[in-house]
Amino acid sequence: MKSFVLNLVIAVIWLFLSKQPSTGVFFIGFFLGFVMIAAFSALLDGGDYPRRCLAVTRFVGMFAVDFVKANLSVARTVLFERRESLHPDFITYDISGMRRGEILLLSYCITLTPGTTTVSVSEDFRTLVVHALDADAPEAIRRQIDRRLRQPILKFTR
Amino acid sequence: MTEALTILLLVTGTVFILVAAIGAVRLPDVLCRSHAVAKASTLGIFSLALGLWTHLGAESVGLKILLTIFFQVVTIPVASHLISLLAWQGEQDRRRRAETASKPSMRSD
């Protein structure tokens, strides 16, 4: 977190130093700041900032693909499937051991990925109730959430 | 080139918002409808805003459009989550898997 703020500060300083400030210049500054921090990460006590940054980038990329896929599948369901062929139901997902912020992020991502929306979090923050459009194979849905969302999120929050 | 891209983005966005609207009518219960509305309208607004961005050019609007998209992505899932939470807690009519196999009519449980 500290390293991220430092990175932003470097980007803003770069913006002030440039002749014509613009969006592109800001991103160049941000990138240069990232390279700088990555190069001197042994001296700054920012920990594993570069690794986390890369993990976030990879997650965002993967998530964008999932998000577009989700929309195509919703469009297909809405336009072409008959009501009777839907099998909606609730499934539970185990989130014990995750921090509050991670649960928040995970529930956002579940809402935006194919076939599932978050409905509720239990009082003790241990299970997540998820509504699935096609709940014929709850185990497969759990595994998919595990592989495509939970593990990538944990990679950059820890 | 930019014009074609703008048109493409605007048409895509409109189509997805239309899909969200059709979904709100066609799907059987509140929770299924929230699927359609949450996903399709997010992407719809997303690509409408991107279309505006390519039309105006990055110089004149800068990061404002990206900020708009960010706020949309942050708020729409919250709204959908609240609606489905209410539908789950309240005794709303809803469709479950076990019932759809035998009889397709809706029932509250």
Side-chain angles (χ1 to χ4, degrees), chain A residues 23 26-27 67-68 70-72 74-75 77-90 107-108 110-121 129 131-133 135-138, chain B residues 16 19 22-23 25-29 31-36 38-43 46 53 58 62-63 66 73-75 77-78 80-81 84-85 88 94-98 100-101 104 106:
Chain A
T23 318
F26 177 80
F27 281 114
F67 180 53
V68 173
N71 276 286
L72 294 179
V74 155
T77 309
V78 165
L79 296 178
F80 302 117
E81 277 186 32
R82 296 186 320 126
R83 277 167 167 238
E84 287 71 27
S85 62
L86 289 175
H87 302 289
D89 206 349
F90 299 106
S107 55
Y108 258 105
I110 286 175
T111 300
L112 291 178
T113 46
T116 47
T117 51
T118 318
V119 175
S120 168
V121 186
V129 179
H131 183 260
L133 262 189
D136 273 340
Chain B
F16 274 114
V19 163
I22 295 173
V25 176
R26 275 201 68 190
L27 293 175
D29 64 0
L31 287 152
C32 295
R33 285 172 185 165
S34 84
H35 279 269
K39 293 181 188 89
S41 68
T42 311
L43 188 67
F46 211 101
W53 200 27
L63 284 177
L66 289 186
V73 170
V74 166
T75 50
V78 173
S80 127
H81 171 72
S84 44
L85 184 65
W88 187 61
R94 77 173 82 100
R95 186 120 72 114
R96 310 281 301 251
R97 180 165 44 120
T100 49
M106 284 195 278

Side-chain angles (χ1 to χ4, degrees), chain A residues 81-128:
Chain A
E81 277 186 32
R82 296 186 320 126
R83 277 167 167 238
E84 287 71 27
S85 62
L86 289 175
H87 302 289
D89 206 349
F90 299 106
I91 57 175
T92 54
Y93 182 71
D94 182 32
I95 47 166
S96 52
M98 293 179 82
R99 286 186 228 124
R100 301 279 170 93
E102 293 161 4
I103 295 172
L104 177 74
L105 196 58
L106 183 69
S107 55
Y108 258 105
C109 296
I110 286 175
T111 300
L112 291 178
T113 46
T116 47
T117 51
T118 318
V119 175
S120 168
V121 186
S122 67
E123 293 285 322
D124 54 355
F125 292 95
R126 277 174 178 283
T127 50
L128 203 63

Side-chain angles (χ1 to χ4, degrees), chain A residues 49-69:
Chain A
Y49 177 67
R51 179 189 66 83
R52 283 180 183 217
C53 242
L54 291 179
V56 168
T57 317
R58 205 177 308 128
F59 173 70
V60 169
M62 213 170 88
F63 182 72
V65 173
D66 267 6
F67 180 53
V68 173
K69 258 196 245 165

Side-chain angles (χ1 to χ4, degrees), chain B residues 1-10 50-59:
Chain B
M1 184 58 212
T2 23
E3 251 172 43
L5 194 63
T6 309
I7 291 170
L8 184 71
L9 284 168
L10 289 181
L50 277 183
L52 185 65
W53 200 27
T54 56
H55 180 63
L56 295 176
E59 291 79 28

